[in-house]
Amino acid sequence: MQLGSYRTTLCASLLLVASLTTATAQQPRANRPVSAIPTNILLRIIRAEDERRWNKDLAFLLANKNAQVRKRAALAAGRIGDERAVPALLDLLRGVDNTDVRQVAAFALGEIESPVSAEGLIALLEDTRPPGEVRAREVEALGKIGAALLSGAPASDDQATTPKAEDKQLAKIRSAILDVLKFEAGRRSMPDRSSILLGLTAVLRAKPEGVGPIIVRFLGYSDPRIVADALNALARLRLKDGNEDARRLLVKHDDPIVRANAARVLAATEDKQAFDALLARALNDYDLRVRVSAIRALGSLKDARAALPMIRRGTELFRLAQLRSGNGASRNEGLETLAALGLVLSGKLTDTTATRILTGEDAVLEPELMLLAFSFRAMTSENILEDEVARARIRPSEYLEYQKGFEAAREQIPERLPRVVYGFSSTSARAAGLAELGRLKPQPPEHVLEESQSLLRRMLDDRRTPLFAVPNILNAYAVYKPKGFVDLLRDYLKQSDVIVRATAAELIGGQPPDEANARTLIEALPRAIQDKDLNDAALAILDALAKQKSAAANEAIKTALDSSDHLIRRKAVALLKANRVGDFSNRIGTVKTRNMEADYRRAIARIGKHVTATVVTSKGAFSIEFLPEDAPLTVDNFIQLARKGYFNGQTIPRVVPNFVIQAGDPRGDTNGGPGYQIRCEINEVPYERAAVGMALSGKDTGGSQWFVTHSPQPHLDGGYTVFGRVIRGMDVVDNIARGDIIRRVVVNEQ
């Protein structure tokens, strides 16, 4: 479960202007007053949210005389996501209510993502007089609706708009978003900061054409956050309009996030003119986030002039990480350097399986590469993904010989010996390296491809291969499109592990429609629907069945409408509608929640209190302050797991420098959870540096995996639940590397 696409809620008393203000990681968030909403009303609202139930009671609360109740009910309507709430929310937005209520109504419309509300939002945006907070949330809402239309899967299960009408509506939405940004860019004084920031996020979602020149106008602003977000938009949309400004900002701007995002723009657009500046930042910038972004950019440029200085820098980093065992930041940066070197040197060095005649630059690079390899091997006791992939790219034939030798030696080594031989991480890393051989352009010699394929098959057939590594090996094997692969996948649909079955189903779904595949998927579905802890297999099988486009497959999908799992029912309804089988929205129903009234009361009782957790890791400790008003049930879930010792001893499976660290997975492969899902509590708290959020693999799929952001991530706003922030120890967070351990989590409630 990763941040993905693949794929956030101001609660009762938090003002938008405060949520958009950048806070340093060391500043505790000010405690807010106890909720002004009566407990009995708040209980009704939270229970309805938890069950995903929209009814007359909530509709009535939208007209309550207490503005805080109206605001909280509007938020609930958005979280529930029922299109029937749209008219009432539009009425709130059009009315004369206070700014807080109106802007939450706009936020809620964005959460529902219904195209039905688009016309009303567009009409409201034509009036530039409302407070900036309201307009900002209106344009944000249009961005989310545009994204839903763009994906071809509107969130509302009642929407029956034709594709042609959707295209026209999407065009109107994009035009309205552009008009807001043009208006703000054209103001001679006092532009609205919130409208600019949320407008930039909206263009990321709706992807309007011709937006580049408008975004570029914000690169000259004095506000570093606006500049950074504009660069973020350019990078994510891969637009070249701002490259000249990005090269200037990379060199001259004081703010590290601006410099880092400038490097990202130059990477996304592969700007060759930026080579010297990027190399200087990669080697010398004082901020790790800038160095990492510049290193990645150099990898995208693939300029061999970067090789020697990067090799020397990588050697220095790995030696530093080895000498100072607690220096995870150096390890992370070194791994990024290895990954970039794989791209920079791919196909550039002479490669034979026997002898090498070194001339020119190769004669210099060879001993430097050997020194880097020695430094890396001295530091680690297992195969590492970045190293395996880099070596496969740089010298394919030599890498294959290494893999063959490793496999031969493995046969002689007892199973009880080090994880470098049999561990999940090592096995998965080797599979990734072999997969890379199959992706290389130009392709390696035929014998390299054949032997790589054979090695992957041997890994699958070896009983000592860790079960959790099988999905990674299957994905690697798929790169080669081997004969009999579909038959193998059908066998893996019968395995015990849910993630193995889910992977097999996803790969079958990628094959052309086939009657035998459909039959196998139909047979596998009942068991998957009955899985107790994870629903990944059921969801993947449903997706694969939908791609078969047959009457029998659609009938099988209908059986999922009887599942006790809300996510499975919702998936089945969406797929049947997409396949034009019919509208079964009335079968979605409500969520069968795990929570009782005592759970809701416990969660509500924390509002207004200072609730923290100290996370003790192998690199030191950091403290999280929770946000029980913004995400009461998410906070309660984390606290209950922590008090059971659930997180104790877990490894941290994912670290992406200048993005996040991710934890909370008992499997250690980012696919695990506690055996249940919790609903999202999307809120308006932004993803600044040090934000703590829930990891998802889709809406309402949270459970136990959580993450901490290294830097602002505006594209996550309104998509993942923020339920806390690190108030002490961000230096520890920055120093955590993949594989570090959470020793314990200690909760403190005052």
Side-chain angles (χ1 to χ4, degrees), residues 63-371:
N64 192 280
K65 63 181 180 180
N66 184 335
Q68 294 297 326
V69 172
R70 296 196 299 277
K71 178 180 173 182
R72 189 62 182 82
L75 176 59
R79 287 176 169 176
I80 293 167
D82 195 309
E83 194 176 63
R84 291 175 297 174
V86 167
L89 290 170
L90 282 172
D91 286 343
L92 271 184
L93 195 51
R94 294 187 186 109
V96 294
D97 216 324
N98 68 45
T99 299
D100 275 3
V101 174
R102 293 172 63 199
Q103 61 97 5
V104 171
F107 180 82
L109 288 168
E111 281 302 291
I112 295 174
E113 295 180 350
S114 169
V116 170
S117 61
E119 291 292 340
L121 287 164
I122 291 169
L124 287 165
L125 277 172
E126 291 174 356
D127 182 0
T128 60
R129 293 173 299 174
E133 295 91 337
V134 176
R135 280 177 56 76
R137 292 302 175 186
E138 289 170 349
V139 74
E140 178 191 45
L142 280 177
K144 291 181 180 180
I145 296 167
L149 287 171
L150 193 60
S151 71
S156 169
D157 296 301
D158 298 323
Q159 183 60 24
T161 313
T162 66
K164 188 174 181 180
E166 287 176 3
D167 290 343
K168 291 180 179 179
Q169 199 162 36
L170 180 58
K172 290 180 180 179
I173 288 171
R174 287 169 161 172
S175 179
I177 293 170
L178 287 180
D179 286 344
V180 170
L181 284 179
K182 287 177 183 176
F183 176 78
E184 295 301 335
R187 289 199 192 192
R188 295 185 177 180
S189 63
M190 299 297 291
D192 184 69
R193 185 177 191 266
S194 56
S195 293
I196 295 171
L197 294 176
L198 293 182
L200 289 168
T201 304
V203 301
L204 285 179
R205 291 170 170 147
K207 298 178 172 58
E209 294 182 3
V211 70
I214 300 171
I215 297 176
V216 169
R217 296 170 70 176
F218 297 108
L219 297 181
Y221 279 48
S222 60
D223 185 334
R225 180 57 192 268
I226 290 177
V227 177
D229 281 21
L231 290 165
N232 178 63
L234 290 169
R236 291 189 170 275
L237 295 173
R238 297 184 177 275
L239 299 176
K240 297 182 178 181
D241 305 74
N243 280 28
E244 184 177 347
D245 294 280
R247 291 193 295 269
R248 171 180 54 82
L249 294 167
L250 175 67
V251 174
K252 296 184 177 181
H253 208 282
D254 293 335
D255 188 273
I257 304 304
V258 170
R259 297 198 302 279
N261 285 359
R264 291 175 51 226
V265 170
L266 300 168
T269 58
E270 298 182 12
D271 190 318
K272 306 294 185 184
Q273 297 181 57
F275 174 79
D276 291 331
L278 287 167
L279 183 60
R281 285 300 178 195
L283 299 177
N284 302 315
D285 200 283
Y286 70 85
D287 194 289
L288 172 64
R289 296 167 295 183
V290 182
R291 296 198 302 275
V292 163
S293 294
I295 290 167
R296 293 170 182 157
L298 289 169
S300 72
L301 296 185
K302 303 180 179 66
D303 190 322
R305 291 178 295 165
L308 193 56
M310 289 181 72
I311 290 170
R312 289 172 175 168
R313 174 64 176 159
T315 303
E316 178 187 349
L317 287 166
F318 286 127
R319 282 177 170 172
L320 184 60
Q322 182 187 2
L323 290 172
R324 303 177 186 175
S325 59
N327 198 330
S330 291
R331 176 184 169 90
N332 292 334
E333 189 177 351
L335 292 175
E336 292 288 343
T337 303
L338 266 180
L341 274 169
L343 293 168
V344 167
L345 289 174
S346 181
K348 292 185 173 67
L349 295 184
T350 306
D351 188 308
T352 65
T353 57
T355 61
R356 285 172 38 82
I357 301 174
L358 298 174
T359 59
E361 191 174 76
D362 279 6
V364 178
L365 286 174
E366 178 69 14
E368 298 285 352
L369 275 171
M370 291 178 64
L371 184 59

Side-chain angles (χ1 to χ4, degrees), residues 412-426:
Q412 310 300 321
I413 298 175
E415 197 167 347
R416 65 179 181 274
L417 286 186
R419 59 182 181 178
V420 66
V421 179
Y422 298 106
F424 157 74
S425 296
S426 291

Side-chain angles (χ1 to χ4, degrees), residues 494-547:
K494 302 171 185 176
Q495 292 293 315
S496 60
D497 186 71
V498 174
I499 305 303
V500 170
R501 282 184 279 131
T503 303
E506 289 167 1
L507 291 169
I508 288 175
Q511 306 295 317
D514 177 270
E515 185 178 342
N517 286 346
R519 189 165 53 250
T520 303
L521 291 164
I522 291 170
E523 293 171 357
L525 182 59
R527 175 190 180 186
I529 290 176
Q530 296 302 316
D531 285 334
K532 298 273 183 207
D533 294 336
L534 297 169
N535 58 15
D536 299 63
L539 297 174
I541 291 170
L542 288 171
D543 274 327
L545 279 169
K547 295 175 181 177

Side-chain angles (χ1 to χ4, degrees), residues 14 43 75 104 122 185 220 263 278 394 470 524 582 616 637 652 663 673 697 723:
L14 176 63
L43 273 171
L75 176 59
V104 171
I122 291 169
L278 287 167
I394 295 170
V470 169
V616 182
N637 176 70
I652 295 174
S697 58
F723 68 98

